[in-house]
């Protein structure tokens, strides 16, 4: 009798411990994320995962306005050299470490000083950061930097547990601990990333999902097939050619938003021994390569009219675009003349590209176009995270690598082309470009900033360390049982308010 009562009691306890209905969301990603440490990472899909895992000081709305997240308010000093933030109280990290001003100081200093950090250039204007009270933090700048708020709305503003970060060091990404609505469970490289709801999340009443599984599926056709079969609930970066299929499926919902980023080809002009190649050494060849591309045709074929041809880090519909440098018309004869002037007949090139169908299709089209001018391009297909590692190490000649975009223009140009910047995989260095982009950061007058960006673009359009191709729209598809998703130009998947019906 006692045994029976014990078993009955145990069973009741088990029932109480388990949620009555665990809601799982399976999301198909185009790539696998790189290291899950905001200090070290650089992939777009990594940012999608962070949106659930790591809250930031500041967030961005669908109309690209900065709004409170872990910081509830902020103000600039009159001279633009101090930013003071009031912080949200009652917040815990996922290991129960309390969030406060000292935690912010620890995070910012980690981003600034950690040897492996890619955030150093983003925070280079910060002279010091101090806890001015338990829930107030003050940034003192070396010089005015209007872009700091934008940096704090992305990885530089993501708050990780100081306790976990100190214990793990550079290995933090193996088991990240943040302050977002979902906490890390497991990761299997190239297979899945699993998160579960953090029960002590400060804004938990807006979270209706218990578990998220992110599944990297590079093939857009396979990704969509998995969604249509019910094996996935949502996918990102639907191929533009599949938009019609999604819209005609009564079980799916289509959503899109024009992005703030760009599609580009990096030229290795100074990154190690492999920069010693014709394309890296002679800007005339890079100019010829650019002239041999019909951007409008390539964008139309690959993105089915959903994107825009482009030749700058800002899209032609952006207020930051320099209209004095329009998208070049294809000119094969001029490209041939430049190749001849540089002393070549045919130019062999190895071009690295991620192994997803959309990127491959684009580069196969461009491979064919530039061949008519005299470029013999061999495409080297590889997994995206591997491609980024090779870019960082300088193990490439040309490499196709796109940028997801940022709300502030600085985030789409500075870190890619200034000397020593964290994402400058070309290792391009031009003191005048450095000066102009620094001055653009320091002005709070948009007209002055625009003039600086235009002047920098005139130089970059001649040197071409990055050959821009265009600007894509973000396209999502999801099961009609999901409600509450809001498409955003930053391409993120925010899960606050998202519900999954039965």
């Amino acid at each position: 009798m006692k045994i029976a009562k014990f078993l009955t009691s145990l069973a009741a306890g088990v029932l109480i411990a388990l949620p009555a209905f665990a809601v799982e969301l399976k999301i198909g990603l185009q790539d696998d994320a790189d290291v899950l440490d905001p200090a070290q990472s650089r992939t777009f899909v990594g940012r999608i995962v962070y949106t659930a895992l790591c809250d930031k000081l500041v967030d961005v709305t669908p109309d690209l306005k900065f709004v409170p997240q872990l910081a509830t308010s902020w103000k600039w000093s009159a001279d633009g050299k101090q930013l003071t933030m009031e912080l949200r109280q009652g917040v815990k990290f996922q290991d129960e470490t309390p969030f406060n001003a000292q935690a912010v100081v620890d995070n910012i200093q980690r981003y600034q000083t950690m040897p492996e950090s890619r955030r150093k250039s983003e925070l280079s204007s910060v002279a010091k950061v101090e806890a001015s009270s338990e829930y107030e933090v003050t940034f003192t700048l070396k010089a005015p930097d209007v872009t700091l708020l934008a940096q704090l709305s992305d990885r530089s503003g993501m708050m990780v547990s100081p306790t976990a970060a100190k214990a793990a060091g550079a290995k933090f990404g193996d088991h990240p601990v943040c302050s977002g609505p979902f906490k890390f469970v497991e990761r299997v490289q190239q297979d899945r990333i699993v998160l579960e709801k953090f029960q002590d999340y400060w804004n938990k009443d807006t979270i209706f999902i218990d578990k998220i599984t992110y599944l990297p599926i590079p093939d857009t056709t396979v990704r969509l097939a998995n969604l249509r079969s019910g094996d996935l609930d949502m996918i990102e970066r639907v191929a533009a050619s599949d938009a019609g299929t999604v819209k005609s499926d009564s079980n799916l919902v289509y959503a899109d938003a024009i992005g703030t980023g760009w599609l580009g080809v990096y030229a290795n002009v100074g990154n190690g021994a492999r920069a010693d190649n014709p394309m890296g050494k002679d800007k005339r060849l890079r100019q010829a390569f650019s002239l041999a591309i019909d951007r409008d045709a390539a964008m139309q074929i690959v993105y089915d009219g959903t994107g825009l041809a482009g030749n700058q880090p800002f899209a032609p519909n952006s207020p930051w675009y320099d209209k004095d440098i329009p998208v070049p018309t294809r000119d094969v004869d001029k490209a041939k003349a430049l190749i001849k002037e540089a002393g070549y007949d045919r130019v062999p090139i190895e071009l690295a590209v991620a192994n997803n169908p959309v990127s491959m299709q684009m580069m196969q089209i461009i491979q064919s176009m530039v061949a008519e001018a005299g470029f013999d391009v061999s495409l080297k297909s590889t997994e995206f995270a591997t491609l980024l590692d090779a870019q960082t190490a300088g193990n490439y000649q040309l490499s196709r690598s796109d940028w997801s975009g940022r709300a502030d223009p600085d985030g789409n140009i500075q870190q890619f082309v200034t000397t020593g910047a964290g994402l400058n995989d070309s290792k391009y260095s031009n003191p005048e470009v450095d000066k102009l982009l620094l001055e653009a950061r320091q002005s709070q007058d948009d007209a002055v900033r625009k003039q600086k960006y235009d002047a920098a673009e005139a130089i970059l359009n001649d040197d071409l360390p990055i050959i821009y191709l265009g600007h894509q729209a973000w396209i999502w598809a999801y099961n009609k049982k999901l409600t509450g998703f809001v498409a955003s130009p930053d391409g993120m998947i925010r899960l606050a308010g998202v519900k999954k019906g039965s």
Side-chain angles (χ1 to χ4, degrees), residues 73-84:
S73 64
W74 49 84
K75 61 182 179 181
W76 287 98
S77 62
D79 64 1
K81 293 180 69 174
Q82 273 200 338
L83 174 67
T84 302

Side-chain angles (χ1 to χ4, degrees), residues 224 227-228 245-246 249-254 477-480:
L224 178 56
L227 175 67
R228 299 186 76 185
T245 300
V246 173
D249 190 324
S250 61
N251 291 315
L252 301 181
V253 179
Y254 173 94
Y478 54 94
N479 192 291
K480 68 177 183 180

Side-chain angles (χ1 to χ4, degrees), residues 235-240 243 254-257 303 306 472-477:
I235 60 175
E236 55 98 18
R237 278 179 286 180
V238 175
Y254 173 94
D256 66 10
Y303 294 101
T306 63
Q472 70 182 96
W474 303 120
I475 303 175
W476 298 265

Side-chain angles (χ1 to χ4, degrees), residues 300-323:
Q300 181 64 41
I301 294 167
V302 178
Y303 294 101
D304 203 24
T306 63
L308 290 172
N311 64 322
Q312 299 175 31
F314 318 120
N317 62 355
S318 165
W320 301 102
Y321 185 78
D322 185 356
K323 294 180 181 178

Side-chain angles (χ1 to χ4, degrees), residues 4 191 283 331 370 446:
D191 183 71
K283 68 181 181 182
D331 191 334
V370 300
D446 282 352

Side-chain angles (χ1 to χ4, degrees), residues 90-93 95-103 134-135 161-163:
V91 176
K92 294 179 181 178
F93 291 100
D95 60 358
E96 301 300 320
T97 298
F99 170 76
N100 52 30
Q102 187 57 49
E134 186 176 3
Y135 293 103
S161 165
T163 305

Side-chain angles (χ1 to χ4, degrees), residues 67-141:
V67 294
Q69 194 165 57
L70 291 178
T72 55
S73 64
W74 49 84
K75 61 182 179 181
W76 287 98
S77 62
D79 64 1
K81 293 180 69 174
Q82 273 200 338
L83 174 67
T84 302
M85 289 186 148
E86 301 297 326
L87 304 177
R88 193 174 300 281
Q89 300 184 28
V91 176
K92 294 179 181 178
F93 291 100
Q94 293 147 358
D95 60 358
E96 301 300 320
T97 298
F99 170 76
N100 52 30
Q102 187 57 49
V104 176
V105 171
D106 291 343
N107 269 273
I108 299 301
Q109 290 179 344
R110 179 175 185 262
Y111 291 141
Q112 289 182 306
T113 63
M114 182 179 176
E116 298 84 0
S117 175
R118 292 183 180 276
R119 311 280 79 85
K120 294 175 184 176
S121 66
E122 298 168 9
L123 296 168
S124 60
S125 64
V126 177
K128 62 180 177 178
V129 56
E130 301 170 290
S132 31
S133 73
E134 186 176 3
Y135 293 103
E136 182 183 88
V137 65
T138 300
F139 294 81
T140 301
L141 310 187

Side-chain angles (χ1 to χ4, degrees), residues 179-192:
S179 54
F182 295 88
K183 63 181 182 180
F184 180 81
V185 176
E186 68 165 342
R187 178 180 191 175
V188 179
Q189 294 280 353
Q190 305 299 325
D191 183 71
R192 65 185 181 274

